[in-house]
Amino acid sequence: MSLRTKVEDFLYHEAELLDEWRLDEWLALFTEDARYVVPTTDLPEGDPSRNLVFVDDDIVALRGRVNRLKSRHAHREYPWSRTVRLITNVRVKEEGDEVLVRANFAVYRSRDPSGRWSHTHEYVGEYFYRLVRDGEGFRIRYKKATLQMEGLKEHGAVSIVV
Amino acid sequence: MPILKEHLVLDDPERGVFRVHRSAFTSQEIFDLEREYIFGQCWLYLGHESEIPSPGDYVRRWIGGRPLFMVRDEDGQVRVFYNTCTHRGALVCRRDKGNAKVFQCFYHAWTFDTKGRLVGVPKEERFGPGFAKEELGLRSPRVGTYRGFVFVNFSTNPPPLEAYLAGAKEVLDLVADQAEEGMIVLEGSHRYAIRANWKLMVENSVDSYHLVPTHQTYFEFLDYLAQVRGTTQGKTGKKLERPERVVALGNGHVVLEAPAVGGRPVADYHPLLGGEEIRCEIEEVKARTLARLGEERGRRVTEMGRNFIYFPNLIIVDTRATNLRIVEPIAPGETMILQFQLVPKEEFGTLRFERRMHSYLSFFGPGGLATPDDVEAVESCQAGFAAGEVEYNDLSLGYAKEDSGVTELPMRVFWRQWYALIQGKPAPTSWEDPVAAR
């Protein structure tokens, strides 16, 4: 099996865990020194150490995020939204003990909090991962979801994990 | 024209009742009155000077329903122009930010310099004798700045900015004085729309009453953080007891001051911020700040958090980090929020800065652990208004109570100004809860 196929399988597995809201299993994919970053829409190259971003979670913050999303008091996500993730254009490169991955994504989110109409909107952009090998599979040391969008309009928030 | 205008806001000191008619959030007619009498008359926040540090730097923004851009001209002066070509109307600034020597309209290539002068017109010789380039420069609203905050006014004869700011000057001073070398806006902004009236977001920003019920998961996060940091001091449980002080600042501006939950990078140490190393940093900054500003002011700057409404379109939440929020009405049920982070320039590279960044992101913004629930709440209110049968929102909590307990007074201050202005009346002379005549 090619490295790319292995990485694709891993990304599909991650997407499945997120779409099925199996968040504890998803969290277990990350290393202790992991980082999850979402830059702002106006500064896709934003560096969280100097620039305002949407999300810059270390493993502690990520656990906090997951605890929150599992709570029925996370009002923006209770009940959970329905999501479907499409991941394509996967490119891989080995560098030292890491596998660098780029991919394109579309995450469709649907929710109907008022009961009047359902809102479906999409988060579109690019993933950048740094994966480390873990037996036959991988773990995530770094995940950046760069939104290639001009702003958040009907979304109102980035309340799911993208 | 009057749509319930006499009854939009009920303010009854006898019964300690304050109510706002829900059409204030849903009516197109009221929205149009706001455009004219509030956004057309008041000084509106546009941006911060630090966003355009060098000559030619510009940012583009819609404020009060109008396209504008702010540019630092070749001599270093901050200028604001209506973003429309004086020829046929096209936008001349077509990016959110950048640096330019000139702004050229792409339609017929009319070119304006950073002072707004029309400096290039193709085939100029074919215009008649009445064509005067010097009359066709970009137009500007009235512009005023205070401590780096830039405001615009669209009316012909506005009061001076400082008179309009009134007591709000002091709050801007307290925010600005956190820094030794000046406060700057970080690159990167949070731009998001909400399907709710703009005033719901304003109310939400000074609403202590909602903190515990709405943001339970945020307080649980702080508790979790306390556990990770090996302290019990951060424990908030499900209670939030703190003295609050509300000050009406004039012209509808209002501030709620209270100790920040979980400390402040400038400069109030709390174990939630981390261990010994950051404690030393913060205590050093605090000592310097107290020496610089004096004991009383220094303590207000360092120890107190503040939620501030600048009437009508700016919110500053200066607690565990400093959040600037421009509120831009799009339609009665739709609002754009443009949100920034303000930081002390000298803090880059310190541990405090790192903590500040994470404090900001953990609460504020579309990806934070709290703001998404605020968005959910205000959108939920807007949807609920369609029920119709319930005519009024109640904002009576803490009416005329002089203690430091939780109160909806900040919202009442905002609404008293709002109500006078949309009726075309002069601003009130007092914004506090009136005492019942007995």
Side-chain angles (χ1 to χ4, degrees):
Chain A
M1 205 197 283
S2 76
L3 177 61
R4 192 180 77 194
T5 308
K6 281 186 193 166
V7 168
E8 282 173 344
D9 284 349
F10 178 76
L11 297 183
Y12 298 158
H13 174 59
E14 188 207 358
E16 183 177 310
L17 295 179
L18 287 170
D19 284 342
E20 294 179 359
W21 291 89
R22 289 152 63 191
L23 295 176
D24 288 322
E25 288 170 73
W26 174 72
L27 195 55
L29 300 179
F30 286 80
T31 62
E32 271 305 297
D33 61 350
R35 208 91 187 180
Y36 163 58
V37 173
V38 183
T40 60
T41 48
D42 67 333
L43 198 66
E45 70 280 15
D47 167 4
S49 73
R50 315 187 45 80
N51 305 128
L52 183 61
V53 295
F54 285 136
V55 178
D56 176 28
D57 283 354
D58 60 11
I59 195 72
V60 171
L62 207 52
R63 286 186 184 121
R65 184 175 299 277
V66 163
N67 287 342
R68 167 180 148 73
L69 287 172
K70 283 160 58 184
S71 162
R72 63 188 180 86
H73 299 288
H75 311 292
R76 189 71 176 174
E77 288 297 336
Y78 185 80
W80 284 330
S81 49
R82 292 157 66 169
T83 63
V84 171
R85 284 148 215 270
L86 309 180
I87 299 171
T88 69
N89 304 52
V90 176
R91 287 141 288 169
V92 299
K93 189 169 101 184
E94 281 190 271
E95 199 174 276
D97 68 333
E98 295 182 334
V99 179
L100 310 187
V101 181
R102 288 181 66 183
N104 293 353
F105 68 84
V107 181
Y108 291 85
R109 173 179 180 267
S110 185
R111 197 159 171 271
D112 186 9
S114 71
R116 188 179 187 190
W117 53 62
S118 82
H119 298 285
T120 301
H121 49 258
E122 64 285 330
Y123 298 89
V124 177
E126 285 179 88
Y127 285 138
F128 179 78
Y129 286 89
R130 291 202 334 250
L131 303 179
V132 289
R133 290 182 189 274
D134 181 45
E136 283 300 291
F138 303 99
R139 293 179 81 194
I140 302 168
R141 184 176 277 162
Y142 181 79
K143 171 179 178 173
K144 179 164 80 167
T146 303
L147 301 170
Q148 295 296 2
M149 297 154 53
E150 286 291 343
L152 299 170
K153 195 159 182 275
E154 59 274 27
H155 317 73
V158 191
S159 52
I160 53 167
V161 172
V162 284
Chain B
M1 168 148 105
I3 6 99
L4 282 164
K5 249 175 147 187
E6 298 74 36
H7 307 292
L8 271 177
V9 174
L10 300 176
D11 190 352
D12 182 352
E14 297 291 331
R15 296 164 60 224
V17 166
F18 192 95
R19 291 191 180 133
V20 175
H21 197 269
R22 290 182 174 181
S23 63
F25 302 100
T26 58
S27 146
Q28 182 65 46
E29 209 169 344
I30 290 173
F31 185 85
D32 295 341
L33 291 174
E34 289 173 340
R35 272 276 154 84
E36 184 176 350
Y37 291 113
I38 295 178
F39 290 87
Q41 296 292 324
C42 296
W43 283 97
L44 307 177
Y45 179 69
L46 170 76
H48 195 265
E49 284 181 347
S50 65
E51 294 178 71
I52 48 168
S54 310
D57 285 352
Y58 66 86
V59 294
R60 162 181 90 155
R61 214 150 273 170
W62 286 71
I63 297 291
R66 303 193 192 210
L68 302 167
F69 66 103
M70 168 168 82
V71 58
R72 195 174 287 274
D73 76 16
E74 62 200 46
D75 300 322
Q77 193 188 327
V78 172
R79 293 177 182 269
V80 179
F81 301 110
Y82 292 109
N83 190 4
T84 181
C85 184
T86 51
H87 178 215
R88 299 268 286 278
L91 302 170
V92 295
C93 177
R94 298 178 69 235
R95 298 172 70 98
D96 283 336
K97 62 188 168 187
N99 183 281
K101 285 198 166 58
V102 293
F103 294 89
Q104 185 177 65
C105 177
F106 74 93
Y107 197 6
H108 305 92
W110 282 28
T111 305
F112 304 88
D113 69 9
T114 55
K115 293 178 187 293
R117 294 177 298 210
L118 178 58
V119 293
V121 177
K123 307 218 183 296
E124 194 181 338
E125 68 285 358
R126 295 199 44 80
F127 286 92
F131 182 79
K133 266 204 310 196
E134 59 280 8
E135 290 169 9
L136 290 165
L138 294 172
R139 296 295 177 83
S140 287
R142 263 53 58 195
V143 181
T145 63
Y146 185 78
R147 303 292 311 259
F149 296 90
V150 181
F151 301 85
V152 292
N153 191 299
F154 304 141
S155 72
T156 44
N157 196 17
L161 172 65
E162 294 214 8
Y164 179 75
L165 284 170
K169 280 197 294 186
E170 195 191 3
V171 177
L172 296 178
D173 288 338
L174 291 170
V175 171
D177 284 340
Q178 289 178 62
E180 292 166 322
E181 295 172 20
M183 296 292 277
I184 59 169
V185 168
L186 288 187
E187 263 198 273
S189 62
H190 290 169
R191 178 153 55 155
Y192 56 103
I194 54 173
R195 280 179 295 265
N197 187 268
W198 66 280
K199 300 184 291 298
L200 288 171
M201 203 60 180
V202 173
E203 289 185 340
N204 175 270
S205 304
V206 287
D207 180 356
S208 299
Y209 194 28
H210 86 295
L211 282 179
V212 170
T214 302
H215 298 309
Q216 190 177 320
T217 61
Y218 175 73
F219 291 107
E220 283 165 1
F221 172 71
L222 290 187
D223 287 352
Y224 167 65
L225 206 56
Q227 188 194 322
V228 172
R229 301 237 194 273
T231 171
T232 51
Q233 226 189 306
K235 290 272 301 170
T236 52
K238 286 176 185 172
K239 289 201 292 262
L240 181 63
E241 295 293 342
R242 52 177 199 170
E244 298 184 355
R245 178 168 168 259
V246 175
V247 187
L249 304 160
N251 292 324
H253 317 308
V254 61
V255 69
L256 181 156
E257 264 190 344
V261 179
R264 275 164 68 72
V266 173
D268 187 30
Y269 175 72
H270 189 287
L272 274 183
L273 291 164
E276 201 52 21
E277 199 184 342
I278 190 157
R279 189 179 67 80
C280 292
E281 256 192 30
I282 288 179
E283 285 180 357
E284 223 181 277
V285 173
K286 184 167 189 172
R288 280 211 307 273
T289 311
L290 263 54
R292 179 163 57 91
L293 301 174
E295 177 83 13
E296 197 201 324
R297 247 184 95 66
R299 284 197 182 281
R300 265 182 94 189
V301 165
T302 54
E303 291 170 8
M304 300 303 277
R306 51 194 61 81
N307 292 48
F308 166 60
I309 298 175
Y310 168 85
F311 189 97
N313 76 328
L314 171 68
I315 290 151
I316 301 180
V317 184
D318 174 27
T319 51
R320 302 181 67 222
T322 306
N323 170 16
L324 297 186
R325 219 178 255 178
I326 299 177
V327 179
E328 172 68 6
I330 306 292
E334 191 178 5
T335 306
M336 278 300 299
I337 308 290
L338 190 55
Q339 205 171 278
F340 302 92
Q341 182 169 196
L342 197 63
V343 302
K345 201 173 174 181
E346 67 275 11
E347 225 181 64
F348 275 93
T350 64
L351 208 47
R352 303 196 303 293
F353 186 72
E354 195 194 308
R355 289 292 186 266
R356 173 190 293 280
M357 297 289 266
H358 286 116
S359 293
Y360 186 102
L361 293 182
S362 66
F363 192 98
F364 297 120
L369 305 189
T371 300
D373 293 337
D374 288 325
V375 173
E376 186 75 1
V378 296
E379 290 187 346
S380 193
C381 294
Q382 191 76 29
F385 295 154
E389 178 70 14
V390 181
E391 281 190 274
Y392 287 91
N393 274 359
D394 189 282
L395 291 165
S396 309
L397 182 78
Y399 197 102
K401 292 209 187 308
E402 304 258 321
D403 56 20
S404 60
V406 61
T407 175
E408 286 168 338
L409 175 59
M411 294 170 236
R412 294 192 287 274
V413 169
F414 171 87
W415 281 108
R416 285 179 182 126
Q417 178 79 5
W418 178 89
Y419 194 33
L421 296 195
I422 61 144
Q423 294 176 90
K425 290 185 182 169
T429 50
S430 168
W431 294 263
E432 308 278 357
D433 295 331
V435 180
R438 272 171 221 257

